[in-house]
Amino acid sequence: MHSWPAPEVPRLPGRGLPLRLHDTATGEVRATAPGPEARLYVCGITPYDATHMGHAATYVAFDLVQRVWLDAGHDVHYVQNVTDVDDPLLARALETGDDWESLADRETELFREDMAALSVLPPRHYVGAVESIPSVIAYVEKLQAAGAVYSVEGDLYFRVHADDRFGSIAGLSGERMHEVFGERGGDPYRPGKEHPLDCLVWQLERPGEPAWESPFGRGRPGWHIECTAIALEHLQSPVDVQGGGRDLAFPHHEMGASEAHVATGSWPYARHYTHAGMVGLDGEKMSKSRGNLVFVSALRREGHDPAAIRLALLAHHYRGDWEWTAEDLPRAEARLAAWRTAVASPAPPAEPVVTGIRERLADDLDAPGALAVVDRWAEQARLRSGAPGAEDAAAGELVRTALDALLGVAL
Ligand code: 5CA
Ligand code: ZN
């Protein structure tokens, strides 16, 4: 499937710092240590509704990972999936009388437009679940060969305890895993399962649902194996960072890691599992199923500058949960205006700003800290008087370049 257009990322003088990033599996902020090629897999959307501020915040967070790595001299190999066939998508299509494929195509296209508007750098491989079915089948066969698959009325399940490391990503208690699995697409109570946490890898055709031929009968992929197969097909393991929102730590990333371990025999599947906090509205997680959504496309249609939308997201640290409020956007618009004035004014030296942004982002993507560095510089510029000299103009230009390259904010 095609990705979205890549904006030019300007190069900065000098070299960025190694990125330190939170890892859910160890609970620590640790240095990422990619080779010349840094490998990033971020879970993509299930395209049954438009991009809301929660999605956008998560993709902007991982966009910073890519930008910090690029600045540190890595070639970034970024892969993202699109869950273009799954229960929620089929349910929405049924509800609205839409054709599921047109719904997925339409919403995926809108997502691409939103990402491009927000200056999110595209993945090198943007891969749909449907087009990955041959690869999913191959991975289910590997799991079968390892003796880790059984059937319940023809549906195939992965025995999670075939992996002796199962549970080590999200670190939840057995009781908690059971609860969360049920809330997030799992089926702990299905009769015939060997263990409540075993997860579906191939679901046989249901009446009225799309299905594809496979050696296990006509059907469709389970959710977790979709991402494992896509990641391993396009990236060598270990992946440097497996990313997504906090709601994916369990079961999605836990199951994916176990499936990869059993299928390939190699561990770890990812060196870092990094999770963005949940964005809420009115005290609830923003989610398609709750319907409490603020859409990127709606804000764009209302005429808001995408750079301001992006700045509004960057003002919150990626790791914490936060609430979208009516003040977020005006605050970001005021900040953007102040920065635009500053880069065009007699400006103080820019090198400390570049260093400051680099330091803040390399420290677990402290975007709010990076914005504060720029705010202080813009305030100094405002307080300066006199005509701009040649040096001053160059300082404004360097800050403009740094904002573009590191924060993805083109002034
Ligand atoms: N297709 C799967 C991943 S393979 C999926 O979770 N799709 S999604 O459309 O539901 O979510 C896409 C991404 O946005 C995921 O990383 C998810 O964790 C993140 N996300 C969803 N809701 C929020 C929210 N309210 N705040 C922050 N991130 C969110
Ligand atoms: Zn995923």
Side-chain angles (χ1 to χ4, degrees):
M1 152 164 319
H2 68 282
S3 195
W4 56 92
E8 189 74 33
V9 182
R11 291 211 63 86
L12 285 166
R15 174 90 18 137
L17 301 167
L19 173 64
R20 294 169 50 77
L21 199 58
H22 185 264
D23 168 35
T24 302
T26 54
E28 291 170 348
V29 174
R30 294 190 292 113
T32 60
E37 181 185 81
R39 302 189 280 254
L40 174 64
Y41 185 91
V42 179
C43 283
I45 53 162
T46 305
Y48 66 89
D49 213 340
T51 322
H52 60 60
M53 300 315 286
H55 299 131
T58 292
Y59 295 108
V60 165
F62 290 98
D63 185 55
L64 296 179
V65 170
Q66 165 145 230
R67 287 172 184 275
V68 172
W69 275 343
L70 286 173
D71 185 44
H74 299 285
D75 178 23
V76 182
H77 189 170
Y78 177 17
V79 179
Q80 187 180 131
N81 70 306
V82 185
T83 308
D84 56 1
V85 61
D86 199 10
D87 298 340
L89 173 75
L90 297 175
R92 175 62 61 90
L94 203 64
E95 233 172 80
T96 57
D98 248 331
D99 166 58
W100 67 274
E101 279 174 296
S102 333
L103 174 63
D105 286 350
R106 200 170 61 235
E107 297 303 343
T108 304
E109 187 48 32
L110 186 57
F111 175 73
R112 291 187 188 98
E113 288 168 15
D114 288 335
M115 291 297 104
L118 292 175
S119 299
V120 171
L121 303 177
R124 190 180 298 176
H125 296 283
Y126 191 45
V127 191
V130 170
E131 65 188 346
S132 304
I133 286 173
S135 169
V136 168
I137 291 172
Y139 275 93
V140 174
E141 285 174 329
K142 286 185 211 278
L143 294 177
Q144 276 184 324
V149 172
Y150 63 91
S151 155
V152 177
E153 300 165 291
D155 294 334
L156 300 187
Y157 281 84
F158 170 60
R159 271 187 195 103
V160 292
H161 292 94
D163 174 27
D164 55 2
R165 306 230 186 204
F166 175 73
S168 60
I169 308 304
L172 302 181
S173 67
E175 198 181 331
R176 192 70 195 124
M177 283 198 270
H178 194 290
E179 246 172 63
V180 177
F181 186 56
E183 289 162 10
R184 299 189 184 149
D187 54 358
Y189 299 110
R190 180 166 181 188
K193 283 177 66 173
E194 290 178 10
H195 191 282
L197 295 177
D198 292 344
C199 68
L200 202 56
V201 288
W202 188 261
Q203 175 169 293
L204 280 192
E205 181 168 12
R206 304 286 195 264
E209 289 192 358
W212 290 265
E213 294 297 339
S214 85
F216 338 111
R218 283 174 59 78
R220 61 182 167 98
W223 172 31
H224 316 304
I225 194 74
E226 165 198 337
C227 279
T228 311
I230 293 174
L232 292 175
E233 165 106 17
H234 294 279
L235 292 168
Q236 268 177 32
S237 83
V239 172
D240 289 293
V241 171
Q242 153 80 83
R246 188 168 62 71
D247 57 337
L248 297 188
F250 194 88
H252 189 50
H253 293 166
E254 189 79 60
M255 301 297 185
S258 284
E259 288 167 345
H261 189 198
V262 173
T264 65
S266 95
W267 184 270
Y269 166 60
R271 293 191 171 118
H272 271 74
Y273 294 86
T274 300
H275 295 110
M278 288 291 111
V279 179
L281 184 72
D282 303 331
E284 293 234 55
K285 171 188 153 182
M286 211 180 267
S287 80
K288 295 180 249 201
S289 46
R290 285 193 179 88
N292 59 340
L293 304 173
V294 176
F295 294 117
V296 174
S297 46
L299 295 179
R300 291 200 288 123
R301 263 199 311 276
E302 287 165 18
H304 294 287
D305 185 338
I309 305 175
R310 181 165 171 122
L311 261 189
L313 299 171
L314 291 173
H316 299 273
H317 194 280
Y318 84 94
R319 196 135 68 84
D321 293 348
W322 56 278
E323 295 266 315
W324 177 262
T325 69
E327 286 84 59
D328 278 272
L329 206 45
R331 208 181 288 137
E333 282 163 344
R335 174 175 258 150
L336 193 62
W339 289 6
R340 282 185 170 143
T341 305
V343 293
S345 316
E351 286 74 15
V353 181
V354 176
T355 309
I357 299 174
R358 278 178 165 155
E359 279 174 4
R360 286 300 81 232
L361 291 185
D363 178 12
D364 197 25
L365 309 176
D366 178 12
L371 302 198
V373 167
V374 185
D375 284 344
R376 281 194 292 275
W377 175 86
E379 181 58 14
Q380 285 167 17
R382 196 178 69 80
L383 297 173
R384 277 203 168 195
S385 52
E391 257 184 43
D392 290 328
E397 211 36 52
L398 182 54
V399 170
R400 186 197 294 275
T401 306
L403 295 180
D404 189 358
L406 299 173
L407 292 172
V409 176
L411 291 184

